[in-house]
Amino acid sequence: MEGGKPSLALVYQAVQALYHDPNPAGKERASVWLGELQRSMYAWEISDQLLQLKQDVESCYFAAQTMKVKIQTSFYELPPETHNSLRDSLLTHIQNLKDLSPIIVTQLALAIADLALQMASWKGCVHTLIEKYNNDISSMPFLIEILTVLPEEVHSRSLRIGANRRTEIIEDLAYYSSTVVTLLTTCVQKTGNDEKMLIKVFRCLGSWFNLGVLDSNFMASNQLLMVLFQVLQRDETSTNLHEAASDCVCSALYAIENVETNMALALQLFQGVLTLETAYHMAVAREDLDKVLNYCRIFTELCETFLETTVRSPGQGMGDLRTLELLLICAGHPQYEVVEISFNFWYRLGEHLYKINDAALHTIFRPYIQRLLHCLARHCQLDPDHEGIPEDTDDFGEFRMRVSDLVKDVIFLVGSMECFSQLYSTLKEGNPPWEVTEAVLFIMAAIAKSVDPEANLKSHFSCEFVSFRQLICVNSDFFVCFSVIRENNSTLSEVLQQVVLLPENVHMAVRYTSIELVGEMSEVVDRNPRFLDPVLNYLMKGLREKPLASAAAKAIHNICSVCRDHMAQHFQGLLDIARSLDSFALSTEAAVGLLKGTALVLARLPLEKIAECLSDLCAVQVMALKKLLAEQSRNGKSADPTVWLDRLAVIFRHTNPIVENGQTHPCQKVIQEIWPVLSETLNTHQADNRIVERCCRCLRFAVRCVGKGSASLLQPLVTQMVSVYQVYPHSCFLYLGSILVDEYGMEEGCRQGLLDMLQALCMPTFQLLEQPNGLRNHPDTVDDLFRLATRFVQRSPVTLLSSSIIVHIIQCAIAATSLDHRDANCSVMKFVRDLIHTGVANDHEEDFEVRKQLIGQAMEQHGQQLVTQLMHSCCFCLPPYTLPDVAEVLWEVMMFDRPTFCRWLENALKGLPKETSGGAVTVTHKQLTDFHKQVTSAEECKQVCWAIREFTRLYR
């Protein structure tokens, strides 16, 4: 912090400004200054002094929070001899400030807990704290607060205490867990029905359950368990206490997921939760939604915990199916938020039953799923006074989407065809109100894609037959089943027929959902092409009405995707729609979807027609871009061309005709004609990253569309990319470069030009990434640079390895291995892995020996630095999901030269710290040697990955 240690008066003034300055700019300045103070060494002393002064809540909260943050992130700043005095000071502060504010007590409790976890010399901290404060009833609230946050902080991501220290702490907490529970029990006995204290006790108990250190036999007979269920059974329990008790029971249920090893406690919890049904009904009667939601959480957690038991032995012991009855009772509650809580359980149940695939089990659980589906259909009903189409983006719309996903996941238990038929019959036989009709159509739309008219036949014959011809020969029941198929097909056809005949005066929401249903039934249309014309006519009506237009466009897109061959005869109609796209009230996504569908159909036309039709399809977008460019040159104002660029991109992306070798690609001429407009658009908007990105995306799909047919564009495109990139280094140019290398990198005549492109793009890129925090601030550039470099390795490795730029790329890659960004890190690791692999994999290409020699030179120069940096990155910088990529790189290095790698790894491990700043052992000599041996003797890459996963836990 510049200017030395600030005075307490200045700090106090800044805190006051942060909370009370009416000017937002003043608040912002105070926030920045105080943040700087928190990062400085002075923060320790100043926080301590502010807490001693006890001037007001704001300054004490700032000081307490600063203490917590400093202990979490900068504990290494303090010499070991100060640790005891810091602990004593914090305990004095929490005692003196216990009545000032609960949030200050929590911050100080967190600071004490984080200190205890890092301070190896503070042995038996739980025992010390209980012995010091348990006889003073006024200290009990903050003591319980410390004991609550202590187990929560054991797995905190803010603390890198390492697996050895964490194991030591968990063993210590397990040893004293019974003492803590006894303290909590005594506290409840002393304070009686003091609600605040009960809430604290339940929170604390839940925290210890979550850590998984409580003795289940001890807890099974503990009085606290009885108190918990008494509180939940009482009608007069307050909302806050009810929530705390519910949280605690859920934590207990989660803790005993391994039921066999916690049998006594499992039985107590199982029986206890079953007693809450009456209390649930009372909460429903009193319309107490908070309590209803709490009960549903408990019932769901019960079902989750005993899921495997229920599936293994349904109806027996703790596989009692009353647990499912409880969830279905909750599903019957009128508020959809209640049933939504149980969705994850139903997903998991469906997943279990699908994997087991036992018909007898399916029969047991089918009635429960049928009842669930009935409840879900009712919950999906819109309000009778709802006007217009269903909303997708509000809470209820999102709930309906989750219902749709759940129905798709569990429908196999009921049978999609059977369910579809039953739903349809409810509409056909009755005369339900519009909201019921709409909800039923919504559920039908959810399962329409999984409806298979042959499903009953397949299940009837257990899929033992290869074909229906064999089936005719061996089974006389075939004709019965064939009639079932015909009946199923008839139902599907009838549904389509009835939907497209819906009168226009039905509720708008019913029409909207019926259009969605038609779109989902595109496979039925494909099997029954006679419906194509009436379906398209029906969807065209919807397309012309503003509220229905986007849904109709999406349905047409689905029909085009599935019925491409049948739709070829309707291409002219699609082209007419595409030409007048903006006359329809379509969302951007729906308009692009329509063009995608049109392009998919276009690709199925005869080759000789494709060029002309593609030109017609692109013409509207190209004319619009030309018009924008003309206006720009006339009046200097630039309009946004992204809509047109996105539409061209989707056309190029999905126009993929089958072209035989030697044939000219039918799209080549069209793309050559469009190139000048795209080039001018790119030049005009070169400073705007968003527009340039869309231009590059459009060009990427154009190049991919015609492949080698885009050769005439290569020179002007590369020249323009390099020219603009020197001034405006948009990372999308690097990505577009990788596409060009992928397409042309194996062409002898293109290699030098592509290498020149790479070198020209690298210079501004390195300047950007070498700035302070350059890698962290520009992850997209890192990602795209190494995509480009990887394409070169894959297509022309010797060209790259022989160039002068390779040294700089490798150095940049080594620096970027520590970058905690999913895509960027993945690209870096893939580049390094593929680079080394070119010297490992003898693919019998004539340049293998040259590649091996060049990789050998690179490894000699950078190998030790690479291995050291990788070990440091995976211990201190990278999240666990990146470790398989690190393992692949280390594996390739080892495959290239195992003896040298063994030495490099040994040197890298010697450089790692062996102790934490709190004096705890991070890694033992044995753990280091074991890890070295596991990696260097590995016979598969996955063994390296497992070893790294275990080893890096020592540093997390």
Side-chain angles (χ1 to χ4, degrees):
M1 196 168 190
E2 291 178 20
K5 178 186 166 186
S7 67
L8 280 180
L10 186 60
V11 176
Y12 184 72
Q13 191 181 335
V15 172
Q16 290 303 303
L18 179 67
Y19 287 102
H20 302 296
D21 193 327
N23 181 2
K27 280 182 184 286
E28 182 59 30
R29 279 195 303 274
S31 177
V32 170
W33 189 84
L34 289 169
E36 217 174 295
L37 170 63
Q38 283 187 321
R39 288 187 290 276
S40 74
M41 277 291 291
Y42 306 118
W44 295 103
E45 189 183 346
I46 286 170
S47 299
D48 191 52
Q49 290 172 344
L50 284 173
L51 290 167
Q52 281 174 13
L53 281 173
K54 199 179 172 180
Q55 201 154 353
D56 57 23
V57 171
E58 285 98 342
S59 61
C60 286
Y61 175 73
F62 169 75
Q65 193 224 17
T66 301
M67 268 300 184
K68 179 199 74 175
V69 170
K70 292 298 284 183
I71 290 169
Q72 282 179 346
T73 60
S74 311
F75 189 55
Y76 60 87
E77 292 177 350
L78 296 179
E81 59 271 19
T82 63
H83 293 172
N84 283 338
S85 59
L86 174 62
R87 176 193 63 194
D88 297 341
S89 173
L90 286 171
L91 290 172
T92 302
H93 290 319
I94 200 168
Q95 189 153 28
N96 291 340
L97 297 166
K98 63 178 183 278
D99 300 321
L100 185 60
S101 165
I103 57 169
I104 293 170
V105 171
T106 299
Q107 292 298 308
L108 288 171
L110 283 164
I112 292 163
D114 291 339
L115 177 64
L117 296 177
Q118 294 181 86
M119 187 175 155
S121 59
W122 188 359
K123 305 288 184 189
C125 64
V126 171
H127 180 67
T128 310
L129 290 166
I130 291 176
E131 211 168 53
K132 188 176 174 76
Y133 298 114
N134 77 325
N135 292 323
D136 176 12
I137 197 73
S138 69
S139 300
M140 202 57 75
F142 75 75
L143 171 61
I144 292 178
E145 188 67 23
I146 297 171
L147 294 175
T148 301
V149 298
L150 184 62
E152 291 171 353
E153 289 295 287
V154 170
H155 294 291
S156 167
R157 291 184 179 179
S158 306
L159 299 175
R160 299 184 74 96
I161 56 176
N164 286 336
R165 175 63 180 156
R166 196 168 280 113
T167 302
E168 183 188 340
I169 290 160
I170 289 171
E171 286 171 358
D172 192 53
L173 294 182
Y175 182 78
Y176 290 111
S177 62
S178 300
T179 311
V180 172
V181 175
T182 304
L183 171 78
L184 296 176
T185 309
T186 308
C187 187
V188 170
Q189 289 166 349
K190 282 183 181 176
T191 56
N193 291 326
D194 180 340
E195 185 179 303
K196 285 185 179 174
M197 188 55 77
L198 268 179
I199 290 172
K200 283 184 174 297
V201 166
F202 290 159
R203 274 191 59 230
C204 185
L205 183 62
S207 175
W208 285 74
F209 267 127
N210 285 334
L211 190 62
V213 294
L214 294 180
D215 182 293
S216 63
N217 290 325
F218 176 72
M219 286 310 303
S221 56
N222 190 273
Q223 188 192 345
L224 275 182
L225 212 58
M226 189 175 69
V227 174
L228 262 178
F229 284 109
Q230 284 173 349
V231 165
L232 289 168
Q233 285 161 355
R234 276 205 304 267
D235 185 34
E236 62 273 15
T237 299
S238 73
T239 302
N240 289 342
L241 180 57
H242 197 275
E243 184 171 7
S246 300
D247 289 343
C248 188
V249 170
C250 288
S251 297
L253 285 164
Y254 185 80
I256 57 140
E257 196 128 34
N258 190 344
V259 175
E260 272 68 30
T261 57
N262 299 287
M263 195 59 83
L265 181 56
L267 189 58
Q268 290 298 317
L269 288 168
F270 186 86
Q271 291 171 345
V273 173
L274 288 181
T275 65
L276 299 178
E277 184 182 342
T278 308
Y280 168 83
H281 288 301
M282 185 60 75
V284 173
R286 292 190 181 279
E287 297 185 4
D288 191 335
L289 184 59
D290 290 330
K291 286 187 180 178
V292 166
L293 291 169
N294 287 336
Y295 288 124
C296 189
R297 282 196 298 126
I298 294 170
F299 298 156
T300 302
E301 200 63 58
L302 177 77
C303 289
E304 296 252 21
T305 296
F306 293 98
L307 172 59
E308 288 187 18
T309 312
T310 308
V311 172
R312 195 170 54 245
S313 51
Q316 298 168 32
M318 284 185 278
D320 194 328
L321 294 173
R322 279 185 295 168
T323 54
L324 298 191
E325 290 290 349
L326 287 174
L327 281 198
L328 289 172
I329 289 169
C330 292
H333 192 278
Q335 297 287 340
Y336 69 83
E337 295 92 342
V338 179
V339 69
E340 195 170 14
I341 290 170
S342 66
F343 278 13
N344 190 59
F345 165 74
W346 296 113
Y347 281 125
R348 285 187 61 207
L349 176 64
E351 192 178 36
H352 265 65
L353 293 172
Y354 187 79
K355 283 179 183 170
I356 295 169
N357 194 20
D358 180 328
L361 267 182
H362 289 193
T363 305
I364 293 170
F365 289 99
R366 184 173 295 123
Y368 295 94
I369 300 299
Q370 284 172 330
R371 286 164 61 192
L372 174 68
L373 293 174
H374 178 76
C375 291
L376 293 177
R378 190 168 45 75
H379 280 297
C380 285
Q381 290 173 20
L382 299 164
D383 288 334
D385 57 355
H386 178 91
E387 293 180 2
I389 64 171
E391 287 291 334
D392 286 342
T393 52
D394 63 4
D395 289 346
F396 185 56
E398 287 177 11
F399 166 75
R400 284 176 33 126
M401 286 302 104
R402 290 196 65 199
V403 168
S404 177
D405 292 339
L406 176 58
V407 168
K408 287 169 188 169
D409 279 4
V410 299
I411 195 64
F412 72 93
L413 282 164
V414 178
S416 49
M417 189 64 236
E418 185 184 334
C419 183
F420 195 85
S421 301
Q422 284 176 359
L423 288 166
Y424 177 56
S425 66
T426 62
L427 297 182
K428 193 166 68 166
E429 290 162 14
N431 185 21
W434 75 263
E435 67 274 13
V436 174
T437 301
E438 191 279 334
V440 169
L441 290 171
F442 177 78
I443 300 293
M444 287 171 75
I447 61 176
K449 272 190 179 158
S450 62
V451 168
D452 180 355
E454 296 169 8
N456 290 19
L457 179 63
K458 290 170 186 170
S459 62
H460 186 84
F461 289 105
S462 312
C463 299
E464 289 175 13
F465 303 98
V466 181
S467 70
F468 287 142
R469 187 172 298 165
Q470 283 179 294
L471 192 58
I472 293 172
C473 299
V474 298
N475 202 312
S476 60
D477 283 355
F478 172 75
F479 297 106
V480 176
C481 292
F482 189 77
S483 69
V484 171
I485 293 178
R486 209 164 51 194
E487 186 183 325
N488 290 344
N489 241 327
S490 162
T491 302
L492 295 169
S493 305
E494 191 180 333
V495 169
L496 262 181
Q497 217 164 359
Q498 292 303 314
V499 167
V500 299
L501 293 174
L502 273 175
E504 289 182 27
N505 62 351
V506 298
H507 195 286
M508 188 63 77
V510 174
R511 292 181 64 198
Y512 179 90
T513 304
S514 68
I515 286 172
E516 288 193 322
L517 173 58
V518 169
E520 294 298 306
M521 292 182 74
S522 48
E523 287 178 14
V524 179
V525 177
D526 193 42
R527 286 196 295 266
N528 300 276
R530 69 183 187 280
F531 287 119
L532 192 55
D533 284 353
V535 161
L536 289 175
N537 288 336
Y538 176 68
L539 295 177
M540 277 307 299
K541 281 182 196 169
L543 198 60
R544 294 189 191 98
E545 290 188 50
K546 186 176 178 180
L548 306 175
S550 291
K554 187 182 173 187
I556 293 171
H557 164 216
N558 281 356
I559 299 284
C560 289
S561 301
V562 175
C563 314
R564 291 188 215 180
D565 293 326
H566 298 309
M567 283 297 293
Q569 61 181 309
H570 294 280
F571 182 76
Q572 190 57 49
L574 291 171
L575 192 56
D576 292 340
I577 293 172
R579 282 176 177 148
S580 54
L581 211 52
D582 293 310
S583 67
F584 305 110
L586 297 174
S587 66
T588 305
E589 184 189 358
V592 166
L594 253 178
L595 287 173
K596 175 185 171 182
T598 307
L600 289 169
V601 175
L602 168 62
R604 294 299 174 94
L605 297 180
L607 278 186
E608 64 274 10
K609 287 189 176 180
I610 288 179
E612 184 189 346
C613 292
L614 177 64
S615 183
D616 288 345
L617 188 57
C618 294
V620 177
Q621 343 302 328
V622 174
M623 289 302 294
L625 288 172
K626 284 180 176 175
K627 188 179 174 186
L628 293 181
L629 291 168
E631 286 172 5
Q632 160 84 4
S633 61
R634 216 171 29 248
N635 56 30
K637 289 183 181 176
S638 61
D640 188 348
T642 53
V643 168
W644 313 106
L645 291 169
D646 287 350
R647 290 180 183 182
L648 278 175
V650 82
I651 293 168
F652 295 145
R653 184 177 189 175
H654 296 285
T655 304
N656 298 313
I658 297 163
V659 181
E660 303 294 334
N661 281 341
Q663 286 182 307
T664 304
H665 199 291
C667 304
Q668 185 176 321
K669 182 169 174 285
V670 180
I671 287 171
Q672 284 169 350
E673 288 168 358
I674 292 173
W675 157 248
V677 181
L678 293 177
S679 174
E680 195 180 341
T681 302
L682 180 54
N683 259 345
T684 303
H685 298 278
Q686 60 183 274
D688 189 320
N689 181 61
R690 187 177 64 91
I691 296 174
V692 170
E693 209 167 67
R694 299 308 232 291
C695 278
C696 286
R697 186 169 174 271
C698 189
L699 287 163
R700 163 193 162 195
F701 289 125
V703 170
R704 287 294 197 205
C705 174
V706 294
K708 304 282 188 298
S710 61
S712 61
L713 303 184
L714 193 57
Q715 185 66 45
L717 175 55
V718 168
T719 304
Q720 186 172 6
M721 282 165 58
V722 169
S723 167
V724 175
Y725 194 77
Q726 305 303 313
V727 187
Y728 301 105
H730 304 300
S731 74
C732 52
F733 286 123
L734 299 171
Y735 189 92
L736 184 54
S738 75
I739 302 298
L740 296 176
V741 172
D742 193 38
E743 290 290 343
Y744 294 99
M746 296 178 82
E747 302 289 312
E748 191 63 49
C750 298
R751 285 175 175 171
Q752 188 56 47
L754 291 170
L755 181 64
D756 293 343
M757 174 194 75
L758 173 67
Q759 290 175 319
L761 293 173
C762 275
M763 289 306 113
T765 304
F766 292 150
Q767 286 171 11
L768 186 71
L769 299 180
E770 284 165 5
Q771 293 171 1
N773 288 322
L775 292 166
R776 185 172 295 279
N777 293 340
H778 303 283
D780 290 346
T781 300
V782 175
D783 182 16
D784 292 332
L785 170 67
F786 287 101
R787 281 176 187 269
L788 170 56
T790 302
R791 290 295 192 195
F792 241 111
V793 169
Q794 292 166 345
R795 294 288 177 257
S796 186
V798 173
T799 308
L800 179 63
L801 285 162
S802 308
S803 69
S804 57
I805 199 72
I806 187 63
V807 174
H808 304 288
I809 294 175
I810 291 173
Q811 286 172 340
C812 183
I814 291 171
T817 55
S818 62
L819 184 59
D820 178 9
H821 183 280
R822 186 184 289 267
D823 293 337
N825 192 275
C826 182
S827 290
V828 171
M829 295 298 178
K830 181 164 176 52
F831 163 72
V832 180
R833 179 215 168 270
D834 285 6
L835 183 75
I836 300 166
H837 188 71
T838 57
V840 174
N842 187 352
D843 46 16
H844 306 294
E845 293 282 336
E846 56 193 41
D847 64 353
F848 174 68
E849 289 303 324
V850 178
R851 288 187 338 236
K852 189 174 179 182
Q853 185 186 349
L854 290 168
I855 292 295
Q857 290 168 7
M859 292 309 292
E860 194 177 327
Q861 194 175 351
H862 305 286
Q864 179 66 74
Q865 187 191 358
L866 172 65
V867 174
T868 302
Q869 181 69 20
L870 283 172
M871 287 311 304
H872 182 272
S873 295
C874 59
C875 286
F876 300 108
C877 309
L878 299 179
Y881 65 76
T882 62
L883 297 183
D885 294 339
V886 175
E888 285 191 4
V889 175
L890 292 174
W891 172 258
E892 291 297 337
V893 176
M894 186 162 68
M895 288 298 96
F896 185 77
D897 185 347
R898 197 179 284 256
T900 308
F901 171 74
C902 292
R903 194 171 68 251
W904 287 340
L905 182 60
E906 186 180 345
N907 293 337
L909 294 176
K910 281 177 183 172
L912 293 173
K914 312 299 184 286
E915 275 192 5
T916 67
S917 51
V921 174
T922 304
V923 60
T924 64
H925 179 71
K926 184 177 185 307
Q927 285 170 326
L928 285 169
T929 53
D930 285 352
F931 172 67
H932 187 275
K933 185 179 178 183
Q934 285 165 358
V935 173
T936 54
S937 63
E939 294 179 6
E940 291 179 285
C941 182
K942 63 182 176 186
Q943 292 172 311
V944 176
C945 186
W946 292 335
I948 291 176
R949 274 192 198 284
E950 286 306 307
F951 184 74
T952 53
R953 286 194 180 113
L954 300 171
Y955 288 90
R956 292 194 190 283

